[in-house]
Amino acid sequence: EAGVAQSPRYKIIEKRQSVAFWCNPISGHATLYWYQQILGQGPKLLIQFQNNGVVDDSQLPKDRFSAERLKGVDSTLKIQPAKLEDSAVYLCASSPPGLTDTQYFGPGTRLTVL
Amino acid sequence: SQQGEEDPQALSIQEGENATMNCSYKTSINNLQWYRQNSGRGLVHLILIRSNEREKHSGRLRVTLDTSKKSSSLLITASRAADTASYFCATANTGTASKLTFGTGTRLQVTL
């Protein structure tokens, strides 16, 4: 079974630029999560989707971050414009329907904002 | 905000020794989970313990949960160099069972 796929793996941009990350969850997984992990800290949930609907985006900085999950499969997370403090690893995870106790994580995208 | 606090922040042991990591949390939970993260990789789910359980085993892993003290411990027995990683506890709070709040992590180094 293929795992959660993310791209790109690494991205370097300058502040005020825009960036987008892509995630393809495990086939059939209805729930998709985006996390931000700053160096030396644990992951922090940014947004949770159930199919293509948003369940929780309470910690998403909506003035600059946006996310969508069209057709309830792939998802993209965008930052516009980026700030220095957005430098982090962005992790995508997914859970199967009815079994949201366990999350399966992708390898993450490491973002560096200069 | 971080729910859990792991202790110690870093741990260095020799291969074959046991490693114990502790996690404290603040609010009532549905379950508590432990994840491993190798350098530059995503997180891997290790074990889940529910609020009505006190101890759980999986291979060389043993997890305990004390809800009265709001704390959990992860014991890795007979450690191997391949166990070198960061370990995070994550709590699923009552009422929001699918939302995980991660702790700050323990960095484990196992040397030969």
Side-chain angles (χ1 to χ4, degrees):
Chain A
E1 179 182 75
V4 175
Q6 290 188 247
S7 68
R9 290 295 312 277
Y10 305 92
K11 189 74 177 179
I12 300 173
I13 62 173
E14 295 190 348
K15 61 182 178 184
R16 291 187 289 273
Q17 286 187 323
S18 302
V19 65
F21 313 125
W22 173 82
C23 172
N24 184 280
I26 293 173
S27 178
H29 281 199
T31 309
L32 185 147
Y33 313 80
W34 282 102
Y35 289 86
Q36 179 193 58
Q37 185 177 21
I38 293 172
L39 185 65
Q41 298 182 18
K44 181 184 81 171
L45 180 68
L46 293 176
I47 189 167
Q48 176 183 346
F49 290 94
Q50 179 72 23
N51 295 311
N52 60 349
V54 175
V55 174
D56 185 341
D57 64 356
S58 58
Q59 297 190 96
L60 186 74
K62 299 180 185 64
D63 58 333
R64 298 183 301 105
F65 286 65
S66 65
E68 60 181 9
R69 191 183 184 196
L70 299 176
K71 301 180 181 178
V73 182
D74 294 6
S75 177
T76 56
L77 176 70
K78 297 179 182 177
I79 307 174
Q80 180 180 7
K83 294 185 176 181
L84 296 177
E85 58 261 36
D86 297 332
S87 293
V89 175
Y90 290 85
L91 296 162
C92 180
S94 67
S95 297
L99 294 171
T100 53
D101 282 348
T102 301
Q103 298 182 19
Y104 298 83
F105 282 80
T109 295
R110 183 177 297 275
L111 173 68
T112 301
V113 182
L114 303 175
Chain B
S1 62
Q2 305 283 173
Q3 155 80 308
E5 293 285 337
E6 276 95 332
D7 170 55
Q9 289 187 322
L11 179 62
S12 183
I13 60 174
Q14 290 192 321
E15 201 170 48
E17 294 181 334
N18 296 341
T20 299
M21 290 159 263
N22 303 296
C23 168
S24 60
Y25 57 92
K26 300 173 184 174
T27 61
S28 296
I29 61 170
N30 178 288
N31 65 71
L32 184 145
Q33 305 178 32
W34 286 89
Y35 284 80
R36 182 185 74 226
Q37 185 176 38
N38 291 87
S39 180
R41 303 272 184 97
L43 284 84
V44 174
H45 180 263
L46 295 176
I47 194 165
L48 179 153
I49 186 165
R50 301 194 183 280
S51 59
N52 61 351
E53 298 175 311
R54 293 296 167 258
E55 187 171 312
K56 205 160 184 181
H57 297 255
S58 177
R60 295 184 295 113
L61 305 180
R62 172 179 169 251
V63 170
T64 62
L65 179 65
D66 186 334
T67 53
S68 66
K69 295 181 179 178
K70 291 186 168 59
S71 67
S72 173
S73 68
L74 171 67
L75 169 67
I76 304 174
T77 60
S79 64
R80 305 166 182 169
D83 294 328
T84 294
S86 291
Y87 291 81
F88 294 90
C89 68
T91 53
N93 296 341
T94 305
T96 57
S98 65
K99 177 179 178 178
L100 292 180
T101 304
F102 284 82
T104 52
T106 292
R107 173 70 187 167
L108 174 66
Q109 177 76 41
V110 181
T111 57
L112 297 172

